[in-house]
Amino acid sequence: MWIGERITEKGVGNGVSLLIFVGIISNLFNGIVAGFNTATTTGTTSGWVNLIVIVVTCILMTVVVTFVELGERRIPLQIAKQVKGRRVYGGQNTHMSLKVVSVGVLPLIFAYSFLAFPGTIAQLIDPKAEGWFTQWWTRNMYTGSVWYMIISALLIIAFTFFYSSISFDPKQQAEQLQQQGAVIPGQRGKNIRQYLQNIMNRLKLFAALFLAILAAVPTLLLRLAGVQVPFAASSILIAVSVSLETVRTIQGEMSVRGIDMDMDNVGFIT
């Protein structure tokens, strides 16, 4: 925490997030190196296939997460003209941006923490694992089991809908638009609230399914192909989010200093 605060104060971006990012990249690098050493030591085809699967999966997940993380739903707005004194305000067309996946990594963290809680309590109450619940949980709810995948997917979907519902209120947003004199083309009055609610429902459904599928990829690779990937879906999400946020921070710092930065030239950072 102390190092993170120093980075935040004297560096670029959030220090704690950067430290977590470095840890994720370090574990990923160590996992790939370990896979390479295993493939070269054993000299078997399966070792090289596993290494290729790990690298390709990492690249594909990074590309997909980056694409979705940058995705947004733009709602067109028309701001009415307002005359205040001798000045005229408004009278322009703009848009309101809604992120496709606005919940980030929180549903994954909540779901995994919720699944780890019963097992921890069972071990404290029944350390010898003699009770039926402890035995059932150990036998059926280990990482990679079918029950674990199904329940974790349902929890991720539930937490995604819950967090999205409390982070965006269509009624409040519609009232703010009316106060600002902004209207959505083709929508009037109460229809604005329902229109925003329908859009959020579709975005929440996509985000929930996307996170559930993304979280299941490492487990599916382990069950179907026997490949142990050295990263989780939450790790990729955090790494991509921190990378994009760092690029935006650098761009803002350079913009303040009057230096133009072409995002295409630093695209490799993300």
Side-chain angles (χ1 to χ4, degrees), residues 251-264:
Q251 185 183 24
E253 291 290 337
M254 298 183 70
S255 177
V256 170
R257 289 164 174 76
I259 304 175
D260 293 332
M261 185 174 80
D262 187 3
M263 288 296 291
D264 294 335

Side-chain angles (χ1 to χ4, degrees), residues 1 3-26 238-250 269:
M1 293 296 296
I3 296 176
E5 291 296 332
R6 300 285 74 76
I7 296 176
T8 303
E9 181 180 352
K10 301 182 181 299
V12 177
N14 186 282
V16 177
S17 298
L18 289 174
L19 291 178
I20 297 174
F21 170 80
V22 170
I24 292 173
I25 298 301
S26 176
I238 294 174
V240 171
S241 300
V242 174
S243 300
L244 296 176
E245 186 61 31
T246 303
V247 171
R248 296 189 188 101
T249 304
I250 295 175
I269 298 179

Side-chain angles (χ1 to χ4, degrees), residues 201-267:
N201 289 337
R202 290 194 291 267
L203 292 180
K204 287 188 289 186
L205 179 61
F206 174 82
L209 295 178
F210 171 75
L211 293 177
I213 295 174
L214 188 68
V217 169
T219 305
L220 289 176
L221 285 177
L222 179 61
R223 288 184 60 88
L224 300 179
V227 178
Q228 179 69 45
V229 294
F231 55 85
S234 57
S235 301
I236 299 296
L237 281 171
I238 294 174
V240 171
S241 300
V242 174
S243 300
L244 296 176
E245 186 61 31
T246 303
V247 171
R248 296 189 188 101
T249 304
I250 295 175
Q251 185 183 24
E253 291 290 337
M254 298 183 70
S255 177
V256 170
R257 289 164 174 76
I259 304 175
D260 293 332
M261 185 174 80
D262 187 3
M263 288 296 291
D264 294 335
N265 294 332
V266 295

Side-chain angles (χ1 to χ4, degrees), residues 35-173:
F36 178 80
N37 292 334
T38 301
T40 54
T41 302
T42 58
T44 60
T45 305
S46 60
W48 289 105
V49 171
N50 292 343
L51 178 61
I52 294 174
V53 170
I54 292 174
V55 174
V56 172
T57 302
C58 178
I59 295 175
L60 288 179
M61 291 182 66
T62 302
V63 171
V64 172
V65 170
T66 303
F67 180 78
V68 175
E69 184 71 18
L70 293 175
E72 60 183 19
R73 173 68 161 87
R74 295 184 177 183
I75 302 175
L77 297 176
Q78 293 179 350
I79 302 178
K81 292 183 178 180
Q82 298 180 1
V83 179
K84 296 182 180 180
R86 296 182 179 180
R87 296 185 178 182
V88 179
Y89 298 90
Q92 60 182 353
N93 296 329
T94 182
H95 64 270
M96 178 175 61
S97 299
L98 299 177
K99 291 192 64 175
V100 175
V101 180
S102 60
V103 294
V105 74
L106 289 178
L108 296 176
I109 296 176
F110 289 157
Y112 294 150
S113 301
F114 192 85
L115 283 174
F117 184 74
T120 303
I121 297 299
Q123 291 179 0
L124 293 176
I125 298 177
D126 185 16
K128 296 183 180 180
E130 297 178 348
W132 67 269
F133 178 78
T134 306
Q135 294 179 1
W136 181 89
W137 188 271
T138 305
R139 185 172 58 255
N140 298 286
M141 291 301 295
Y142 60 91
T143 303
S145 66
V146 177
W147 280 106
Y148 186 89
M149 293 178 59
I150 294 175
I151 296 178
S152 62
L154 294 177
L155 288 175
I156 291 172
I157 294 174
F159 282 121
T160 301
F161 273 86
F162 172 75
Y163 188 77
S164 299
S165 300
I166 64 177
S167 61
F168 183 87
D169 186 3
K171 179 180 180 181
Q172 181 181 4
Q173 190 65 43

